[in-house]
């Protein structure tokens, strides 16, 4: 396990948790004073009441919860959302309503999951030509169905 430093911005905030031993994501909850309505085809920024400090060369990805997606057509808009290792502000989640009915977010609703992942930094080397491959420049369906 990797240590994540976490700060509650209010003593009533509940910490993220893994729901099973095999879970890769920790559920995070809304921390709001009053319910937030998300209209169809609209998004809302949902606070969590948490700030974190993660190790250098890692990121936290904020991903949708499959249950919200299948049951309510709710997803994280910028999937996956990225929390950089040097960010210290409040974690907030952009939820988007893909459905045709208003969706209500209540305090302590599980709204997303966070996954800690390693980051591999790139060092670009400019070249005149790239190595050839069988696929070459073919994209967007070029390998068939």
């Amino acid at each position: 396990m990797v240590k994540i430093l976490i700060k509650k911005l209010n003593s009533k905030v509940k910490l993220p948790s893994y729901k099973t031993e095999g879970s890769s994501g920790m559920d995070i909850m809304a921390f709001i004073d009053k319910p937030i309505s998300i209209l169809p085809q609209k998004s809302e920024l949902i606070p969590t009441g948490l700030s974190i400090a993660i190790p250098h060369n890692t990121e936290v990805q904020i991903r949708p919860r499959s249950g919200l997606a299948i049951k309510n057509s709710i997803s994280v808009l910028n999937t996956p959302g990225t929390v950089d290792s040097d960010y210290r502000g409040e974690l907030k989640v952009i939820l988007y309503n893909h459905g045709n009915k208003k969706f209500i977010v209540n305090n302590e609703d599980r709204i997303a999951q966070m996954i800690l992942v390693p980051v591999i930094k790139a060092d670009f080397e400019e070249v005149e030509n790239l190595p050839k491959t069988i696929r070459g420049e073919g994209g967007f369906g070029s390998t068939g169905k």
Side-chain angles (χ1 to χ4, degrees), residues 2 14 40 54 57 62 64 78 91 95 103-104 111 115 126:
V2 174
K14 293 191 176 163
I54 58 176
N57 288 329
I62 305 297
N78 59 326
L91 298 179
L95 289 184
F103 180 77
I104 307 293
I111 56 169
I115 293 94
E126 188 173 352

Side-chain angles (χ1 to χ4, degrees), residues 51-107:
S51 294
I52 59 174
I54 58 176
H56 184 65
N57 288 329
T58 65
E59 71 167 319
V60 161
Q61 293 183 354
I62 305 297
R63 298 183 186 175
R65 294 190 65 244
S66 58
L68 280 180
I70 192 65
K71 294 175 186 172
N72 303 106
S73 299
I74 300 297
S75 186
V76 175
L77 184 59
N78 59 326
T79 298
T82 295
V83 180
D84 296 308
S85 64
D86 57 352
Y87 177 68
R88 296 296 182 267
E90 181 178 7
L91 298 179
K92 295 181 181 180
V93 179
I94 306 168
L95 289 184
Y96 185 80
N97 184 349
H98 291 276
N100 55 16
K101 293 187 286 186
K102 175 173 67 173
F103 180 77
I104 307 293
V105 179
N106 295 294
N107 190 47

Side-chain angles (χ1 to χ4, degrees), residues 135 138-143:
R135 184 178 189 167
F140 299 103
S142 65
T143 61

Side-chain angles (χ1 to χ4, degrees), residues 15-44:
L15 295 180
S17 64
Y18 295 104
K19 292 301 178 194
T20 67
E21 188 176 315
S23 295
S24 59
M26 293 175 272
D27 288 337
I28 54 177
M29 293 182 272
F31 186 75
I32 50 181
D33 294 328
K34 59 184 181 186
I36 296 175
S37 295
I38 307 175
L39 298 174
Q41 312 306 310
K42 298 292 181 186
S43 62
E44 293 291 337

